[in-house]
Amino acid sequence: MTSSILTRNVQPLETPSFIHFLFNDRRASVLWLVVRVWLGWQWFEAGLGKVQNPAWMQTGEALKGFWSRAVQIPAEGRPLIAYDWYRNFLQSMLDSGSYVWFAKLVAVGELLVGIALIFGFLTFATALIAGFLNWNFIMAGSASTNGAWLVLAVLLIAAWKISGYLGADYFLLHRLAALWTPSKLKGWLGAPLPQPIK
C-alpha cells in the first residue's frame, strides 16, 4: 500500500517541475542567493542601527516605547494588537521591566540573523528565526516591511536544501543531514563534500 497522494487515475501525485526546480535544483540556488543576501542585508542594517543606539543597548527605552504604544486600547477603533493573550504577554514584559534586556536581545539578534543570512550559515534555522521575529512584530501591530520579509523567510525555509547552497551551508548541510539520516550517521565526520555545480 502506498502512502502517496493519488490522482484520479490512481497515479502518485507528482510535484510540478517548476516547484521541484525552485526548491530542489542546485541551479535555482542563484535565485535564493539573491533573496538571501538581500534579506540578510535588510536585517543587518536594522540590527546595526539598533546596536549603535543607546535607547536599544543601554536603557531599552526604544523597545519600551514600542511595546507601550502597542498595548494601548483606544477609546474608539481597533487596538494595534488583535489578540488579548499577546497584549497581556507584552504588558507583563513591560511591567517586569524586561524591555531593558530584551531590547539588547532584539538588536543583537537582528544583526546576527543578517550576518548568517548573508553568509548562508544554517539558512533554514536562520530564516526560521527571522520569520519568528517578523511574526512577533506583526502581532505587535507593526506591519511595515514585516509581511514581505516574513514571506521571503518562509520561501527560504521551503528551499532549505538549496537556499544556502552558495554559502556556508555548502559545507555544513551535508554533514548535518547525518543527524536525521541514520545510515549516514556513522560516517558523519568523514562525509565527502557535495559535487560542485556544473
Side-chain angles (χ1 to χ4, degrees):
M1 180 170 223
T2 181
S3 61
S4 299
I5 296 174
L6 303 178
T7 65
R8 293 172 72 182
N9 298 331
V10 197
Q11 297 296 319
L13 186 63
E14 299 292 334
T15 303
S17 58
F18 76 95
I19 296 290
H20 180 77
F21 173 78
L22 279 177
F23 297 109
N24 294 290
D25 194 307
R26 291 185 300 194
R27 293 171 293 180
S29 62
V30 175
L31 168 69
W32 297 116
L33 172 68
V34 172
V35 171
R36 194 187 77 227
V37 170
W38 181 85
L39 185 60
W41 184 255
Q42 303 309 307
W43 278 109
F44 178 78
E45 282 188 323
L48 187 62
K50 290 178 178 70
V51 167
Q52 296 172 340
N53 186 342
W56 282 93
M57 294 303 291
Q58 292 175 13
T59 64
E61 287 297 317
L63 187 59
K64 179 183 179 183
F66 175 70
W67 283 352
S68 296
R69 287 186 301 278
V71 298
Q72 290 177 358
I73 301 175
E76 294 181 11
R78 297 182 63 194
L80 287 176
I81 299 177
Y83 298 99
D84 290 336
W85 64 268
Y86 197 81
R87 184 181 304 104
N88 293 337
F89 165 70
L90 288 188
Q91 188 62 59
S92 69
M93 296 288 276
L94 276 167
D95 294 343
S96 65
S98 298
Y99 53 84
V100 175
W101 64 267
F102 205 83
K104 295 176 181 68
L105 182 67
V106 170
V108 173
E110 287 183 2
L111 190 68
L112 293 177
V113 161
I115 292 169
L117 283 175
I118 289 169
F119 288 102
F121 179 78
L122 300 176
T123 306
F124 173 84
T126 304
L128 189 63
I129 293 167
F132 182 68
L133 285 168
N134 289 130
W135 175 80
N136 274 283
F137 299 153
I138 291 169
M139 290 292 288
S142 174
S144 185
T145 58
N146 289 301
W149 290 12
L150 177 59
V151 169
L152 293 177
V154 169
L155 289 172
L156 287 172
I157 293 167
W160 70 275
K161 294 178 192 174
I162 59 169
S163 58
Y165 187 79
L166 297 177
D169 285 353
Y170 175 84
F171 303 100
L172 297 172
L173 197 56
H174 72 285
R175 293 185 187 280
L176 292 175
L179 299 176
W180 61 82
T181 311
S183 63
K184 295 181 182 177
L185 189 57
K186 184 178 177 183
W188 187 61
L189 291 176
L193 291 176
Q195 297 299 314
I197 296 176
K198 294 181 180 180

